[in-house]
Structures are given as C-alpha cells and as structure tokens.
Amino acid sequence: MKKEEMTAIMLPRGRKNEENFVIVSVNGRSFKIMKGVEVQVPVYVAEVLENGRMMADEARRYVEKMAE
C-alpha cells in the first residue's frame, strides 16, 4: 500500500459549548481531528477542510449581501 502524503493543520478552538473536535469522512475513512492542536492529516483531508471553510465564507458573504 502506498504511503499517504501528510500535512500539518491546526483547527481553531470553538466556543465553550462546541465540540473540541471535527470528524471528516473521505471515501469511507473517518478522521477525528482535535481543535487547537497541530495534527498531521493526509493532504486530501486538509483539502476537504479548506473547501468547507471556503464554502462557509462564500455562504456568509451571500447572506450579508442579501441582507443589504
């Protein structure tokens, strides 16, 4: 089996009442990623998280635009 390319990420801590981790599932594999701690994850997991962040930013901009 080919070794996966890894990268370091650190997710920001959430509010007091939020979970202190995020679960990411890709092709049947799940990863529980702690917030506020630098961790090594496969590159594709980091890409999924980045894409999610970008989509949340886009949605926030859209809502703000519609509220004007």
Side-chain angles (χ1 to χ4, degrees):
M1 183 178 199
K2 184 179 162 189
K3 186 161 172 70
E4 295 176 326
E5 184 179 349
M6 304 293 276
T7 188
I9 63 167
M10 185 166 89
L11 301 176
R13 291 187 188 271
R15 294 185 190 91
K16 208 172 203 178
N17 59 345
E18 290 181 6
E19 296 287 355
N20 62 347
F21 61 88
V22 173
I23 296 177
V24 176
S25 294
V26 179
N27 292 334
R29 291 183 63 195
S30 295
F31 301 85
K32 186 176 182 179
I33 303 165
M34 298 301 297
K35 293 180 179 179
V37 178
E38 186 172 289
V39 295
Q40 294 286 322
V41 297
V43 170
Y44 59 85
V45 172
E47 289 174 2
V48 166
L49 290 166
E50 178 62 15
N51 289 340
R53 186 195 61 76
M54 289 187 322
M55 293 305 296
D57 289 347
E58 182 67 28
R60 198 169 10 264
R61 282 191 294 274
Y62 177 80
V63 169
E64 289 170 0
K65 180 181 175 185
M66 291 293 113
E68 291 177 357

